[in-house]
């Protein structure tokens, strides 16, 4: 997908660690550009790791998500990333979450176009976030990240399972974990 891109837009340092904010465009799906915020949290005194957690979720970053990201990364003693805006929403008359997913399945049933179910671009957004994290790490001179653990809740939970099923051999292992 030629629309894939990422850009480091901010770096914030604190006593507990560093937060890198990345603007990500994961894809263009049905002529809609999927843009996301991606935050990478590196706790103070974290040792280099070849594995990173990528938590995929909806919404946008805020003070609470920044606190939670730094706290989780600190407890893990390892870098952690949060991907926001999964799925891209609202769409199609202001639909969000389950109503949006239902709408895309109705469109699939009406057209038989296999590109309609929303689960596919949701998975692609997670896969492209993995690509962006690996490219960011290389650009920043960080250790290579070859494996990922990808959790998420609710509809983002099943997205994690399908992300793991993609087999991303080009970039390491993805372990999907749905969280109820």
């Amino acid at each position: 997908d030629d629309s894939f891109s990422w850009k480091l837009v901010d770096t914030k340092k604190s006593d507990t660690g560093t937060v890198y904010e990345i603007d990500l465009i994961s894809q263009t799906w049905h002529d809609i550009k999927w843009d996301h915020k991606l935050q990478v949290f590196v706790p103070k005194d974290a040792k280099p790791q070849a594995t990173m957690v990528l938590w995929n979720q909806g919404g946008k970053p805020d003070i609470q998500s920044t606190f939670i990201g730094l706290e989780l990364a600190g407890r893990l003693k390892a870098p952690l990333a949060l991907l926001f805006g999964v799925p891209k929403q609202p769409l199609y008359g202001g639909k969000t979450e389950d109503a949006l997913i239902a709408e895309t399945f109705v469109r699939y049933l009406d057209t038989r176009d296999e590109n309609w179910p929303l689960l596919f671009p949701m998975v692609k957004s997670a896969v492209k976030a993995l690509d962006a994290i690996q490219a960011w790490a290389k650009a920043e001179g960080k250790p290579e990240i070859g494996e990922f653990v990808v959790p998420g809740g609710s509809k983002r939970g099943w997205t994690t399972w399908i992300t793991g099923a993609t087999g991303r051999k080009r970039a390491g292992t993805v372990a999907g974990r749905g969280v109820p």
Side-chain angles (χ1 to χ4, degrees):
D1 189 330
D2 291 337
S3 60
F4 167 71
S5 66
W6 66 273
K7 180 181 178 183
L8 178 65
V9 293
D10 199 9
T11 302
K12 294 180 183 163
K13 296 184 181 223
S14 72
D15 292 341
T16 56
T18 304
V19 181
Y20 299 89
E21 187 168 307
I22 298 168
D23 284 344
L24 168 67
I25 297 174
S26 65
Q27 64 202 289
T28 299
W29 175 77
H30 290 284
D31 298 323
I32 301 166
K33 192 171 285 190
W34 277 42
D35 56 327
H36 312 271
K37 290 291 187 185
L38 178 61
Q39 290 183 316
V40 178
F41 302 89
V42 179
K44 190 173 183 173
D45 301 325
K47 294 182 181 175
Q49 305 271 333
T51 302
M52 182 181 276
V53 173
L54 170 68
W55 185 282
N56 74 94
Q57 59 188 36
K60 295 180 180 175
D62 57 23
I63 191 83
Q64 183 179 6
S65 63
T66 300
F67 174 78
I68 290 169
L70 281 169
E71 180 69 21
L72 285 173
R75 288 180 185 218
L76 290 170
K77 296 182 180 21
L80 165 98
L82 297 178
L83 172 63
F84 296 88
V86 180
K88 168 78 174 169
Q89 55 187 342
L91 297 174
Y92 306 117
K95 290 182 175 66
T96 61
E97 298 290 316
D98 294 336
L100 179 57
I101 291 171
E103 175 69 23
T104 65
F105 277 108
V106 168
R107 289 179 184 227
Y108 163 70
L109 291 172
D110 288 344
T111 65
R112 297 294 183 219
D113 178 350
E114 296 175 353
N115 294 312
W116 269 115
L118 198 64
L119 57 103
F120 298 122
M122 289 176 70
V123 169
K124 188 172 184 179
S125 64
V127 169
K128 289 302 182 179
L130 303 178
D131 291 342
I133 290 168
Q134 289 179 317
W136 163 82
K138 184 175 183 178
E140 291 288 312
K142 306 282 185 203
E144 181 179 347
I145 301 166
E147 298 182 334
F148 292 88
V149 177
V150 184
S154 187
K155 61 207 60 48
R156 287 153 288 267
W158 54 255
T159 301
T160 66
W161 287 102
I162 299 171
T163 300
T166 66
R168 293 184 34 83
K169 293 184 188 329
R170 71 183 187 282
T173 304
V174 175
R177 168 69 80 133
V179 178

